[in-house]
Structure formats: C-alpha cells, structure tokens
Amino acid sequence: MNTKSALFKEHMVELRLFGVLLGLMVVLSLISDRFLTVDNLTNVLWSVCLIGIMTTGAIYAPITGGIDLSVASMAALAGILANVFMNTLGMNWIVAILITLVIGAGIGWLNGVVTTKFLVPAFIVTMAAKTYLFGVAMLVSNGDQITIMEPAPFLQIGIGKLLGIPIPIYIMFTLVILSHILLKKTVFGRRTIAVGANEVAAKLTGVNPDRTRIIVYTISSVTATIAGIVMASLTQQAYAMNATGYELDVITAIVVGGTSLMGGSGSVVGALIGAVMVGFINNGLNLLDMPSAFHPIATGIVILVALIMNQGVSVPAVLKKWFARPGAAEAAK
Amino acid sequence: MSNNVKSDLLLECRGIDKNYNGPQVLSKVDFSLRRGEIHALVGENGAGKSTLIKIVTGITNRNAGTIVFDGHDVPVEHNKNASEKLGIAVIYQELSLIHGMTVAQNIFLTKEPLLPGLPFIDIKKMNAMAQEMIEKYGFDLKATDIIDKLPIAQRQTVEILKALSNKASLMIMDEPTSSLTAKESERLFKIIRMLKAEGITVVYISHRMEEVYDLSDRVTVLRDGKLVSVLEGEEITPAEIIRLMIGRELTEDESHHKMVDKRDREVVLEVKNLSAEGKLNDVSFKLHKGEVLGFGGLVGSGRTELMRAIYGIDAFDAGEIMYLGKTYSPTVEKSIASGFGFVPEERRLQGIMGGISITGNIGIANLDSISSPAGFVSRDKELERTQTAISTLNIKPANPDHLVGNLSGGNQQKVVVGKWLIRDLKLLIVDEPTVGVDIGAKEEMYQTIDRLSREGVAVMVVSSDLPELTRLSDRIIVLRKGRIIKEFTEGVVTEEEVLRAASGIVEGGAK
Ligand SMILES: Nc1ncnc2c1ncn2[C@@H]1O[C@H](COP(=O)(O)OP(=O)(O)OP(=O)(O)O)[C@@H](O)[C@H]1O
Ligand SMILES: [Mg+2]
C-alpha cells in the first residue's frame, strides 16, 4: 500500500497535467468541429514532435537552475547545415547527419564552457548563441528558403511511416524514454538534480558542477539538432526562420510540465505533456482564426499560470489573505 | 479583546495545534511569556520549538489555538509584517541581513532618515544614529562596516540593533549560540541581560543546558510536540531539564574522556609545511590510524581553511600533503574516492539540498556504491543505504521521502553527517558536527565517531564546542592565526587550557 501511494504521489504532477490536457481537448472539440479531424490532429502532431524532441534535452538546463535559449536557432541551423553537407557537398546523408550532430554538440559544449568557466550567466550565453547561430544560418543559407528534394532516405525521416505511424513520433518517444531514464535512473541524472538543488553541497559531496553543466548544455544542443534535422526533412525545407520562437514554446512546455526554473527537480514526461498542451493551444487559436499576435499572448499567460501552480501556493488562500488585509476593505469601498 | 488593563503576560498562547498537512507537530501547546523575562524553550530535535516560534512570528499559521500578544488577539492568518508591527523580532543568524550593505543601512532599512523635504536618504544622519545605538550598547561594530566582512557573532548584534530600532518588545533567538565560540556566547549573554534590563522579553532556544541554566528565568520544555513542563527559579537544573526533555535519565558516561596516544600507529595523513596566503602558515602534523585529532582555536584561526585544503576544496600555496605514504594533491572527487568523508561547517549553505528528499541527499554522497559501472543507480540499494543512515543517527521522521528542507534543524544536521557515516571511510573530517543537534543525539553521534575510530578510521574534528572537543579527541592541536600554536597529547585537557591556548596565552612552546 505504501509503495502504491508513494508511486501515486511521485506522479501526481504528471497525472494532474494529463487531466488538464484531457480537459483542454474536450474544450477544443466543443469549440471547433474541425478539431477532432485526422488532418488537424496530424498537424498538431508535427509541431508537438518538434517541441517534444527539443524538450527532452532542453529540460536539463532548468533542472540545474540554468536555461537554454539557443535551441530554436540551433535547430534551424542544423537543417541548413545538413542540406549543405548533403546537397552542396554531396555527402552521404548519414554522414551529413552525423557531422551536423557533432557540430551541434560542439556548440552546446561551448555554451556550457562559457557559462561554467567564464562565469557568464546561462541566460546571456545562450541568448548570444541564439543570435549568432541565427546569423550563421542566414549567412550559410543566404536567407533563402531552400527546398530539399533529395536524398529520398533523408526525406523519409520526416514524412515516412512505420506501421502507419509517422517516424518523428518514434523518434520523439525514443528520446523521451531515454531522457526519462537518464534523469531518473542514472548517476548523471542524480548529479544534475543535485547541482540544481544546492551547488555548493553537491560539490562537497563529489559532484563536479562544471562538468555536469557542460554535459547538460551539450545534450540540449544535440536534441535541438535532432529536432532541426527532423524539421528539415518534414518540411522539405532549410530555412533560417523555420523554428523562430520555438525556444519559448520549449520553455513553456518544460515549465507547464512541472519543472521549476529554480532547479532541483524536473519531469521529462511532464514536459512531453506540456509540449502537447502548447501544441493544442496554438492549434486552438488557429482553429478559432485568432490573429497570430494572440499566440505569444496565450503562451505568456500559460507560462505564468503554470509557474503560479508550480509554486504550490493555493490561489484562493492568497486572494483571501489579500482581501483580509486591514485596509483592504476600506480600499475596496 | 481585553483592553488597556496590562496583564503581566506579554504573550499568551493557548492550545496551539499544528500539522504541516501531515503528522501532528504541535498539539495543545500552551506557552506564555512574562514581561521582561528571559525564557528558554527547550526540547529534542523535532520537538516543535522552531515551529512554535514560527507560529508566533507569523511565518507559518497555526491550525488551532489562541494567541494574545500585549493585549491584542493575534488572528490565525498572522503574518510576518503584522508580528513586526506588534513588536516581535526574531534574531536570525544572517538570513535577513542584506549583504553588500553597511551596518547602518541594514539597521534602518525601509525607515531611513531622509534629507529635509527631499526624497533622498540622509546618509550622514543615518550613520550617526546607528553609531549612537552601537555606542549605547557598547557593541564592537562601526556603522559603516559592510555586513559581508563581519563574523557571525557581530551580524547577530546588527540583527539585535535592527530589532531595537523597530521598538521590539519581544526578541526571539532560535539557537543563537550554535555557531558562536564560548567567548562570543558570553558576550551575547551580556547583551541579553542588557535587553532584559530594558524591559525587553527574550525567548531563547538552545541545546546547551548550561546556558539555559545560567540565563533563564523560566524554561518551557516541549517533547514530541506537547508541553511537558514550565520550570521556574530553583527548579531549573540541567539534569532536570534533560530528564523532562528526553523523558528519561541520561546516563552520564566519561564525558571528560582521557586522551590516548596513538602516535605509534600507521600514519594515514601527513601535512608538511602547509601554507595558504592569509589563511595558513606553515602547518605540519601527522594523523594516525584510528586516531581522533581535535582542532581547537577561535573563529578565523584557520581550522576550517585547513580542513578545506586537505579535502581539496581550496588550493594551497606551499607545502605537501601525504596520504597513506604517498604525495597527495587533493581534489574533492579524489578525496571521496580515497575514503574521505567531509561534514562542512555551514549546514544550510554547504550541507543540505533542502528541496530534495532524505534519500536524494544521502544517495548523492554514495553514488559510487549504489550504481552500476554503466552509471545506473539502484533504487533499492539507495533506499537501503538511506534506511541505515536514518537508523544509525535516529533521523526523525524516519521517512526516506521527506524533504530535507522540511526537517527540523537538528535532523537536517543528522542527514549531513549520516551520508558519510554509512560509507567505507578511512578518514573522516567533521567541522562543527553537532551544530543544532540535541543532547541525546549528540551522544549518539559521539559514540558513532568512537566506533569508527575503533574500526581504524582516522578522524579530524573541528569544534568550537570545547566539551565536545575534549570529549572526542585523542589529541588536540590548537591553531591561532593560521599557525599551530599548541598541541595537547596526554592526560585530561581542560576546556580552559584549550581556550587559553586559542587566545594566544601559551606557556612555553611556540610563540
Ligand atoms: N515545512 C515543514 N513541512 C513539514 N514538516 C515540517 C516542516 N517544518 C517542520 N516540520 C516538522 O515539524 C517537526 C518539528 O520541527 P521543528 O523545526 O519545530 O523542531 P525543533 O524543535 O525546532 O527541532 P531542532 O532542535 O532540531 O531545531 C519536525 O518533525 C519536522 O520534520
Ligand atoms: Mg529548530
């Protein structure tokens, strides 16, 4: 009984989120009869896949108390580079992907090194990376929307299906499972959480916070690269603006999923549910023909609400306290 | 509301209940304070002392009960601001002072004197006002000192001044002496008596019975969240308090433990001419198998710095460390892999990871023994290790999933020590190991250290608690200004001897 209730407690956040998600789906299907169509759901799936893949790696930075803002630029650049390697330089597609991954890892490593060794806050470092990676992407692609026509196996990554299910879904779930195991079951996961919970204490118990952080930012960049490759293949396009703004969706998904930006805890499964929710919210706005300006507004509100919920304070109690202040009554009059 | 008629009770709590959405932490506790008394609040770790204080100061809210402060009913939805307005002040050790600001800025924060007619702070006036207060009480401070540069004892006096400037009528001190040396504690007691003379009521939580005995007019004893007794005058004796606290007699064993010469045993660690700019000056000593080597000295004497250098946290400039006969250039990771354990000085900043469970805290120091070569952690092994630590040091509540930040102070300390005690150690370094730990648990910790030393573990103990140092040590080295100034190797050392050496009064020997 004890282990059962403990298990339940451990997954409370995820279960609660799942409930909210189901509620959201019900609301959306009531609002729009286009919502529950195969076409629409497939559409949502694509964006969820890309955000979902990115969150599996990007989640580690918040767990250490940091953040990675460069994932979207990294993804766009990855698609452009892969295309250059395959179609300009004529490399085999597998080799091209591997080289792109190595470059992605290198950039993440650099982010990690600058934050840890030169003591620049991760926020600034990855913001700079976001900017310069975008610049490089523009430079390499000439700012063009390049259509990727070949090679065929490369295009299958995005549009191919296995047993009727699109391949990106397999990629996403594989990464979610790997990332979940990495966080919950491995020494590295423990160390990441410890660094976020109390860096000094972690250090004095044998954790190397710098090394841990460098690995964290490397992983983040690698999953962004994977997402970029999937995106290029899926859209058959290499374009510097392809993922613009995705980093906010990724952070929203992570935060909505119950990971605190203060560090010390996190849930990969929660972030996945968060990614699905972000996808649905954007989709819902589209279905309602809301102007695109509403997307950032909705995203912002969702982040705030999620953060408030994750603080564990009860909103009614806060309101009650607020109105119970001496003077509040007079002020209200 | 009972108006105007001032009763002689400043605070009256009745039937206080508290649970943090879990087990009952306080049940039906009555607690009252007379005006102008020094009142000690005692009890074992987790008895609910800090919780009771937090309820009075509005940091947390009670589930039931009534509180009357100075004739005012205190509502359940109490908060910190309201309690400050009522004149209740809590003296934290450093938490509430703002680093980077001066003493005067901290004292007058949010109530700075302004230049006449202008929205700017009158810095000159503010400094003068602060200096005047400092001189009135004869504190060893300057209004323009930056907080960061002050030792803990002086930060406390800044807290007290801040409270005085708020016209506090009740000052609450939760374990104020736990990181003070004997001399600094004495100074604090003088201040407390001065406050009393001004008519201020002082509540004082401590695990040091002699202090309670010397200082308090009345003592409230809590056990397992219940009021056991309120003692007054003649009734206050250390033995009686302890009996009431733990519910049984504490069997007195040889607390003046004799030193044992173990210098003929195998050398585990040898430090040769270790120097670090401004911290350590030509320190040399040997540590032997199964030996407990105590380090005495005042705060700032270099004891902590020496331990940190040996463990590999801070670099040193010159000298050599030999471990098991080989030159050793320490890093924390290497030290842990070589069988070191290290309990740091400051629990909150360096010891605990408050946001994660007991299991998480214990596991992180034992990753090597609970994981496979491929890097996978065995949840079962981790839990088993945690259970061992919980039962060895009697951590309460004995729930591995409990967040360490929600444990009582003493139990947090047990977690910090416990994560090392379950390892296969060769060398254990403990810096103020029993800060905030109650008297019974302290004895358990001493016995564990005794057992480790019998099993051959070499131990280095830094402690400002002199009875603790003499109780544990086989040999005592006294540091002063980064140098070894005295070594006690035989017989029974008295606390006074250690203190005299630490203060630089040494007969013969090194200068
Ligand atoms: N925020 C919290 N959430 C849950 N339980 C808590 C919380 N704070 C304290 N407790 C529990 O309440 C009990 C009393 O804790 P409290 O801190 O009042 O003890 P204490 O008497 O001050 O002990 P110590 O001498 O160790 O400081 C403990 O069992 C502790 O685990
Ligand atoms: Mg306490």
Side-chain angles (χ1 to χ4, degrees):
Chain A
M1 165 240 129
N2 211 338
T3 52
K4 218 176 186 176
S5 72
L7 207 72
F8 181 74
K9 218 169 154 185
E10 206 183 313
H11 296 289
M12 256 277 286
V13 183
E14 285 93 344
L15 285 174
R16 199 174 60 192
L17 266 174
F18 198 69
V20 176
L21 179 64
L22 288 181
L24 185 69
M25 288 180 72
V26 170
V27 170
L28 285 174
S29 58
L30 288 178
I31 289 177
S32 167
D33 48 9
R34 276 183 293 157
F35 177 70
L36 276 184
T37 58
V38 177
D39 270 2
N40 183 54
L41 288 182
T42 322
N43 243 329
V44 180
L45 221 56
W46 298 141
S47 75
V48 167
C49 260
L50 298 177
I51 296 169
I53 290 173
M54 288 190 205
T55 57
T56 58
I59 194 172
Y60 290 88
I63 294 174
T64 62
I67 197 160
D68 189 349
L69 296 173
S70 69
V71 288
S73 296
M74 186 63 237
L77 179 62
I80 290 167
L81 288 180
N83 180 54
V84 168
F85 293 142
M86 291 182 305
N87 293 328
T88 312
L89 302 177
M91 291 181 190
N92 170 289
W93 64 281
I94 296 179
V95 177
I97 287 177
L98 289 179
I99 296 179
T100 312
L101 284 173
V102 171
I103 294 174
I107 290 165
W109 177 85
L110 191 67
N111 282 342
V113 169
V114 179
T115 26
T116 54
K117 304 293 180 198
F118 300 99
L119 305 175
V120 184
F123 180 84
I124 307 289
V125 174
T126 57
M127 178 114 92
K130 166 186 147 98
T131 314
Y132 75 70
L133 291 176
F134 178 70
V136 174
M138 290 293 279
L139 194 71
V140 176
S141 66
N142 260 328
D144 294 336
Q145 271 176 280
I146 305 161
T147 308
I148 306 175
M149 306 293 286
E150 47 180 15
F154 176 79
L155 294 177
Q156 282 303 313
I157 297 174
I159 53 183
K161 287 187 178 173
L162 203 68
L163 305 173
I165 297 170
I167 290 181
I169 305 267
Y170 289 100
I171 297 179
M172 179 178 77
F173 275 107
T174 310
L175 287 175
V176 166
I177 292 166
L178 287 179
S179 177
H180 179 80
I181 293 174
L182 185 65
L183 181 61
K184 299 282 163 167
K185 313 258 181 231
T186 69
V187 170
F188 170 76
R190 294 294 150 97
R191 289 187 176 146
T192 309
I193 292 170
V195 168
N198 181 346
E199 176 168 351
V200 179
K203 196 169 168 178
L204 297 187
T205 21
V207 177
N208 184 330
D210 288 1
R211 196 188 302 149
T212 307
R213 283 214 170 85
I214 292 172
I215 298 174
V216 160
Y217 287 97
T218 308
I219 292 176
S220 183
S221 242
V222 167
T223 53
T225 307
I226 295 174
I229 289 168
V230 172
M231 181 171 61
S233 159
L234 185 71
T235 57
Q236 301 196 18
Q237 204 183 56
Y239 182 33
M241 312 273 265
N242 244 351
T244 306
Y246 271 36
E247 70 273 2
L248 284 186
D249 286 340
V250 168
I251 290 164
T252 310
I254 292 171
V255 172
V256 169
T259 299
S260 152
L261 293 178
M262 311 295 283
S265 69
S267 160
V268 176
V269 177
L272 173 66
I273 301 177
V276 178
M277 273 166 71
V278 170
F280 277 155
I281 290 170
N282 285 338
N283 177 245
L285 294 170
N286 278 332
L287 290 178
L288 294 174
D289 295 322
M290 296 292 241
S292 61
F294 277 92
H295 289 215
I297 296 178
T299 312
I301 292 173
V302 169
I303 295 186
L304 277 181
V305 170
L307 281 175
I308 290 172
M309 275 172 61
N310 290 348
Q311 286 306 313
V313 292
S314 118
V315 177
V318 171
L319 293 178
K320 205 172 129 203
K321 224 173 188 166
W322 180 263
F323 286 111
R325 277 180 323 156
E330 290 99 276
K333 271 178 201 165
Chain B
M1 204 189 276
S2 59
N3 271 331
N4 298 331
V5 206
K6 291 225 166 185
S7 78
D8 57 343
L9 291 185
L10 178 66
L11 175 80
E12 200 175 1
C13 305
R14 294 215 165 276
I16 304 292
D17 279 350
K18 175 72 184 173
N19 60 61
Y20 290 95
N21 302 319
Q24 202 72 13
V25 170
L26 292 176
S27 37
K28 306 234 173 340
V29 172
D30 296 338
F31 179 58
S32 64
L33 298 173
R34 293 179 189 154
R35 289 174 196 280
E37 73 171 342
I38 300 176
H39 193 119
L41 184 55
V42 302
E44 285 183 292
N45 293 135
K49 305 178 294 294
S50 299
T51 302
L52 183 57
I53 294 310
K54 286 180 189 154
I55 287 172
V56 170
T57 53
I59 293 170
T60 185
N61 290 331
R62 60 191 186 266
N63 297 108
T66 59
I67 301 180
V68 178
F69 182 81
D70 205 6
H72 301 277
D73 288 320
V74 176
V76 174
E77 297 276 334
H78 191 35
N79 63 50
K80 204 162 168 297
N81 278 336
S83 83
E84 269 170 21
K85 275 205 196 98
L86 286 171
I88 303 174
V90 189
I91 310 303
Y92 296 103
Q93 284 178 352
E94 51 176 322
L95 268 179
S96 76
L97 293 179
I98 299 180
H99 285 214
M101 281 194 179
T102 65
V103 170
Q105 280 172 325
N106 267 288
I107 294 177
F108 292 106
L109 193 69
T110 72
K111 47 183 194 302
E112 295 90 349
L114 300 181
L115 288 166
L118 291 173
F120 300 116
I121 297 172
D122 187 343
I123 295 175
K124 255 195 191 146
K125 186 170 171 204
M126 187 171 76
N127 286 342
M129 282 163 68
Q131 196 62 41
E132 193 184 326
M133 288 182 79
I134 292 170
E135 270 151 31
K136 178 176 165 203
Y137 294 97
F139 292 167
D140 180 20
L141 279 176
K142 276 220 291 290
T144 49
D145 284 340
I146 304 283
I147 292 299
D148 312 46
K149 306 230 157 66
L150 300 176
I152 288 174
Q154 293 193 13
R155 290 184 198 178
Q156 260 175 2
T157 58
V158 179
E159 289 268 10
I160 292 172
L161 288 173
K162 194 172 156 188
L164 285 167
S165 79
N166 280 337
K167 308 252 177 310
S169 52
L170 171 59
M171 278 197 208
I172 301 176
M173 308 189 183
D174 194 346
E175 302 190 30
T177 55
S178 61
S179 356
L180 302 189
T181 61
K183 215 170 174 179
E184 290 167 333
S185 300
E186 276 308 321
R187 221 173 288 151
L188 178 70
F189 300 152
K190 234 192 238 157
I191 296 171
I192 291 179
R193 292 201 177 96
M194 240 151 76
L195 295 173
K196 176 184 152 124
E198 295 211 346
I200 292 169
T201 308
V202 179
V203 172
Y204 174 89
I205 298 180
S206 177
H207 289 294
R208 301 187 179 169
M209 290 310 129
E210 326 80 61
E211 296 177 1
V212 171
Y213 170 70
D214 282 347
L215 209 59
S216 25
D217 300 315
R218 293 202 300 154
V219 179
T220 292
V221 185
L222 293 181
R223 185 167 71 230
D224 296 330
K226 296 190 190 70
L227 175 69
V228 179
S229 180
V230 182
L231 305 177
E232 187 170 357
E234 299 288 285
E235 297 161 1
I236 305 174
T237 66
E240 177 65 4
I241 299 171
I242 293 168
R243 195 185 64 76
L244 290 169
M245 263 173 56
I246 63 179
R248 62 187 158 83
E249 223 72 46
L250 191 72
T251 40
E252 191 80 32
D253 74 333
E254 13 90 80
S255 49
H256 261 293
H257 165 102
K258 229 176 141 193
M259 300 224 229
V260 185
D261 196 342
K262 294 178 176 167
R263 283 176 296 172
D264 51 347
R265 304 196 185 171
E266 183 192 335
V267 175
V268 175
L269 184 85
E270 182 172 5
V271 171
K272 293 183 189 166
N273 311 101
L274 204 67
S275 292
E277 179 83 52
K279 294 179 190 162
L280 298 172
N281 196 340
D282 200 20
V283 174
S284 305
F285 67 89
K286 284 181 189 158
L287 174 68
H288 306 81
K289 202 163 185 234
E291 185 179 40
V292 181
L293 181 54
F295 287 84
L298 304 178
V299 169
S301 60
R303 296 171 302 169
T304 295
E305 287 73 11
L306 178 60
M307 299 303 131
R308 288 172 64 96
I310 294 170
Y311 187 57
I313 305 167
D314 302 329
F316 47 89
D317 306 326
E320 194 182 8
I321 297 172
M322 310 270 291
Y323 179 61
L324 298 175
K326 287 193 209 81
T327 300
Y328 182 68
S329 48
T331 66
V332 174
E333 284 163 290
K334 221 196 299 180
S335 293
I336 293 173
S338 322
F340 287 38
F342 182 85
V343 175
E345 187 183 20
E346 287 187 65
R347 159 172 79 230
R348 197 173 49 80
L349 297 177
Q350 308 172 336
I352 60 161
M353 296 182 267
I356 60 183
S357 63
I358 300 180
T359 317
N361 273 267
I362 305 248
I364 197 76
N366 292 281
L367 284 175
D368 49 358
S369 64
I370 59 173
S371 64
S372 66
F376 288 95
V377 176
S378 152
R379 178 82 192 153
D380 290 345
K381 276 192 199 158
E382 190 180 32
L383 258 179
E384 179 207 308
R385 287 305 172 108
T386 306
Q387 299 285 12
T388 314
I390 287 176
S391 60
T392 308
L393 290 179
N394 196 10
I395 295 169
K396 281 185 261 181
N399 170 10
D401 293 331
H402 203 88
L403 291 189
V404 169
N406 289 348
L407 291 174
S408 81
N411 284 298
Q412 292 181 354
Q413 183 66 18
K414 292 186 205 167
V415 172
V416 176
V417 177
K419 66 184 172 194
W420 298 112
L421 296 189
I422 54 174
R423 287 180 65 82
D424 226 350
L425 293 174
K426 290 202 175 65
L427 171 62
L428 175 63
I429 303 173
V430 291
D431 197 344
E432 308 291 355
T434 60
V435 170
V437 171
D438 72 45
I439 196 155
K442 232 179 203 174
E443 188 53 38
E444 280 163 32
M445 239 182 234
Y446 295 161
Q447 282 168 13
T448 314
I449 290 177
D450 287 346
R451 174 176 59 78
L452 289 176
S453 100
R454 277 197 304 278
E455 289 167 3
V457 179
V459 184
M460 289 196 275
V461 182
V462 172
S463 180
S464 299
D465 184 352
L466 291 176
E468 172 167 299
L469 202 63
T470 51
R471 154 76 177 80
L472 280 173
S473 308
D474 294 323
R475 187 154 63 96
I476 295 177
I477 286 177
V478 181
L479 291 183
R480 182 172 165 78
K481 296 186 178 155
R483 281 175 179 281
I484 294 183
I485 189 166
K486 177 103 183 144
E487 186 175 338
F488 296 97
T489 50
E490 56 193 330
V492 177
V493 188
T494 65
E495 293 158 32
E496 200 192 330
E497 281 175 298
V498 177
L499 193 62
R500 284 165 68 90
S503 320
I505 311 162
V506 179
E507 306 83 18
K511 84 156 188 40

